[in-house]
Amino acid sequence: MAVSAVYGVRIDVVEEGGRPVRFTWNGRVYAVRRVIDHWVTLRADHVAAAGGRGVPQRRHWRVEAGSDRAPGVFELRYETLGDEWTLARVVE
């Protein structure tokens, strides 16, 4: 059974075509090896804060990242309202 740790910390992400290809967390760069899952949730609770720019989205990416010797599974989250990436969860 997989155990996950919740973080919710800001991270720097490099994207290509709207998908994450690498991210930096705690001073270490993680290369995304494959996308396991991707989904979008709408943030209807933040419509007023969007200032008429539509319904804000939260984009979730479950990815395998790291080196060949030390891969891990990470859940990355992108908030369209604040243009902010966070590391939501690490699955161990």
Side-chain angles (χ1 to χ4, degrees):
M1 180 170 108
V3 176
S4 63
V6 177
Y7 287 91
V9 296
R10 285 190 61 149
I11 57 173
D12 293 319
V13 175
V14 174
E15 303 173 55
E16 283 183 9
R19 66 175 265 187
V21 293
R22 70 179 168 275
F23 62 94
T24 304
W25 174 46
N26 281 341
R28 182 173 172 200
V29 177
Y30 294 80
V32 174
R33 298 176 60 200
R34 73 181 175 107
V35 174
I36 298 168
D37 200 3
H38 172 246
W39 66 98
V40 176
T41 55
L42 301 178
R43 301 298 312 267
D45 55 328
H46 288 96
V47 170
R53 292 177 289 166
V55 178
Q57 296 178 351
R58 180 177 278 171
R59 298 177 188 155
H60 305 264
W61 297 85
R62 184 165 294 133
V63 300
E64 181 181 297
S67 67
D68 290 338
R69 285 188 236 144
V73 175
F74 303 85
E75 187 177 306
L76 312 179
R77 186 171 59 212
Y78 176 72
E79 297 279 352
T80 60
L81 182 59
D83 190 30
E84 177 179 284
W85 283 92
T86 57
L87 173 63
R89 177 179 315 270
V90 176
V91 181
E92 300 174 12

